[in-house]
Amino acid sequence: MRTFNSPSVSATTDGPRKLLDAIIGEDSGLQTVRNGVSYRQQQLVEKAVIIQSNTSRRSFSSPIRRLPTEILSEIFLYCLPEDEHLVHTPRQAPMLLTKICRRWREVAMSLPMLWCRLQLEVGYDDWQQRAFCYDFWLKRSGGCPLSLRLKSRTDWGELRSLLQPYVQQISSLSLDFLSCDSPFMLEDFHALKELTIRKYVIYDLARATSHTLSKLPVDLRRINMLHLRFNREQLDFFTDSAWARLTHINISLDGLGAFTRILRLCPNLCSLTMFGTFYPSQTPEPVTHANLQSLRMSWSVLWTTDEEYLGQFNVITLPNLRVLEVRNAGSWPHGSFMEFLTRSKCPLERLVLGGGVWATERERAEYATLVPLFEFIEDTLT
């Protein structure tokens, strides 16, 4: 193990900045870390050095060792990449922090917040080596809530076995079905609050995802499935009890019937983001949803250019709606939208008509008088 030699620093003339440079300059690995430190991190280090220079100017046997653990821990947290999920690599924090010196390794290994986000992959190379590294990482989390992203090209069995000791810590989970068509069962993940599902294959994964979503954990509240598309028949596969507790959903829907079905399926929903494909021949039964506060919609239309005949605003009543954002909708159904507002009597606070919405200047002026915050985004392609 490398030891640090004391730099020659004057106790009276050299300032905290020179001491900081001496500390950082002792090892090229430290320079690598310094390059990734933000302005705020540098301020924290300088503050710590000032404290040291005022209290212990006479002894410089190892200045880096006297940096307070609390300050060092704070710096380490700011060294983490901004990615939502971190990868296991010695070139980035937190693994890089364990390679500098014994003190840094001890501090990093004992700081659970460094080890709470991880991306795990199976089906690429030597799984045993990967499993060892992943387990090493997860053990350092010390019982803190985990946010994990799982990517599989084969099946989920090996990842499930690895995660079993930590299943009660996982609060956020992202599943990437790369070329895997086996379901990932969630019933054991009792601490799970947020779920994201992605797929990157050309064939249908309805069987895998349907079974994955058939039994949801009790505390799950958020689901992001914009990469998946569901029609009415697929949504009918799910039971109301499994989805009734959800409060936030991002989803792609095929048909107006799927839109009304998701509202019935999730009576406690307060936020819905939806990408949809609508067909003018569909006339689903109207639905009233008492709890939805935020609705973000983007849809495409097949076989017609007359949006008034789609009826998307004719089949919904949302008495608690506060935020509505619509994008890529084509010709705007002004008449049915105004009827929707009258019928719902909702306290709409914000209305955004984004790119791809063709509303007239007169319609926009009317919305500006009705809604406290109205925003119209011009379509730059027209």
Side-chain angles (χ1 to χ4, degrees):
M1 177 66 65
R2 177 180 300 171
T3 60
F4 291 94
N5 297 321
S6 172
S8 176
V9 180
S10 170
T12 58
T13 59
D14 289 356
R17 185 70 199 187
K18 289 187 177 181
L19 178 56
L20 174 63
D21 293 339
I23 292 172
I24 298 297
E26 286 179 328
D27 192 288
S28 60
L30 298 182
Q31 184 63 35
T32 302
V33 175
R34 187 186 184 190
N35 291 337
V37 176
S38 66
Y39 173 71
R40 182 178 177 184
Q41 296 166 355
Q42 295 182 29
Q43 286 184 315
L44 291 172
V45 176
E46 291 173 2
K47 181 178 179 181
V49 173
I50 292 173
I51 294 173
Q52 293 180 62
S53 64
N54 290 335
T55 57
S56 57
R57 293 177 178 272
R58 297 180 180 178
S59 175
F60 296 98
S61 59
S62 184
I64 191 65
R65 295 180 184 275
R66 295 198 307 276
L67 195 64
T69 299
E70 294 78 8
I71 299 297
L72 196 59
S73 298
E74 186 77 8
I75 294 171
F76 283 2
L77 291 175
Y78 280 98
C79 286
L80 291 175
E82 296 182 357
D83 304 297
E84 183 178 359
H85 299 96
L86 308 181
V87 295
H88 188 288
T89 172
R91 297 184 297 274
Q92 293 181 352
M95 292 304 300
L96 175 61
L97 302 173
T98 68
K99 309 296 184 182
I100 305 304
C101 67
R102 180 181 299 175
R103 169 83 192 292
W104 283 35
R105 178 179 175 84
E106 291 173 352
V107 173
M109 296 280 283
S110 61
L111 188 59
M113 291 298 294
L114 287 176
W115 310 92
C116 292
R117 297 179 288 144
L118 179 62
Q119 176 175 298
L120 302 88
E121 303 178 4
V122 62
Y124 292 85
D125 48 28
D126 184 2
W127 167 248
Q128 295 302 322
Q129 179 63 29
R130 283 183 177 269
F132 176 82
C133 295
Y134 293 152
D135 190 56
F136 171 87
W137 184 299
L138 295 172
K139 283 179 179 177
R140 307 280 77 77
S141 63
C144 290
L146 294 171
S147 176
L148 305 180
R149 182 175 184 178
L150 313 182
K151 304 176 70 173
S152 176
R153 294 184 180 275
T154 55
D155 61 66
W156 301 104
E158 293 173 322
L159 279 173
R160 290 267 318 187
S161 299
L162 173 67
L163 295 178
Q164 195 58 43
Y166 313 101
V167 70
Q168 301 307 323
Q169 293 178 236
I170 302 174
S171 62
S172 176
L173 186 63
S174 177
L175 303 176
D176 289 21
F177 290 80
L178 297 176
S179 56
C180 169
D181 61 357
S182 63
F184 187 97
M185 306 310 294
L186 296 165
E187 62 269 26
D188 297 335
F189 291 73
H190 301 300
L192 190 63
K193 294 179 173 58
E194 184 173 359
L195 173 67
T196 299
I197 297 181
R198 301 179 178 92
K199 67 173 184 177
Y200 301 92
V201 291
I202 59 175
Y203 54 84
D204 186 21
L205 284 180
R207 182 184 69 85
T209 55
S210 294
H211 284 83
T212 296
L213 297 167
S214 61
K215 295 182 179 180
L216 300 179
V218 174
D219 289 336
L220 184 64
R221 294 295 180 268
R222 297 171 177 263
I223 292 184
N224 183 351
M225 301 183 295
L226 287 176
H227 285 73
L228 281 68
R229 182 176 295 274
F230 293 87
N231 58 32
R232 171 62 186 266
E233 290 71 24
Q234 291 169 328
L235 291 175
D236 283 339
F237 178 82
F238 306 124
T239 61
D240 293 353
S241 59
W243 288 58
R245 294 178 293 270
L246 296 177
T247 60
H248 295 72
I249 293 181
N250 298 348
I251 193 171
S252 292
L253 299 173
D254 185 16
L256 198 56
F259 177 37
T260 58
R261 173 56 180 160
I262 200 70
L263 293 176
R264 288 193 175 90
L265 195 59
C266 309
N268 290 307
L269 203 62
C270 64
S271 176
L272 173 63
T273 298
M274 181 205 73
F275 291 168
T277 301
F278 294 155
Y279 310 88
S281 60
Q282 295 180 330
T283 54
E285 294 183 3
V287 59
T288 298
H289 197 291
N291 294 314
L292 192 66
Q293 299 181 28
S294 175
L295 176 60
R296 293 172 171 84
M297 308 171 67
S298 175
W299 68 74
S300 59
V301 183
L302 298 184
W303 308 331
T304 185
T305 58
D306 193 343
E307 309 295 328
E308 292 287 354
Y309 290 103
L310 287 177
Q312 64 270 47
F313 287 111
N314 293 332
V315 297
I316 57 173
T317 301
L318 308 175
N320 203 29
L321 189 67
R322 285 167 166 76
V323 177
L324 175 63
E325 296 185 18
V326 182
R327 301 176 187 275
N328 302 318
S331 298
W332 179 243
H334 174 72
S336 60
F337 175 67
M338 295 302 295
E339 293 176 359
F340 159 76
L341 292 180
T342 302
R343 181 175 63 254
S344 296
K345 298 179 180 179
C346 54
L348 193 63
E349 300 170 356
R350 184 168 186 257
L351 173 63
V352 178
L353 301 184
V357 177
W358 305 334
T360 67
E361 185 174 347
R362 181 177 180 179
E363 293 168 351
R364 302 198 300 266
E366 185 174 358
Y367 301 149
T369 62
L370 292 175
V371 183
L373 181 58
F374 170 68
E375 181 180 359
F376 179 77
I377 302 175
E378 293 281 357
D379 193 342
T380 58
L381 298 180
T382 59

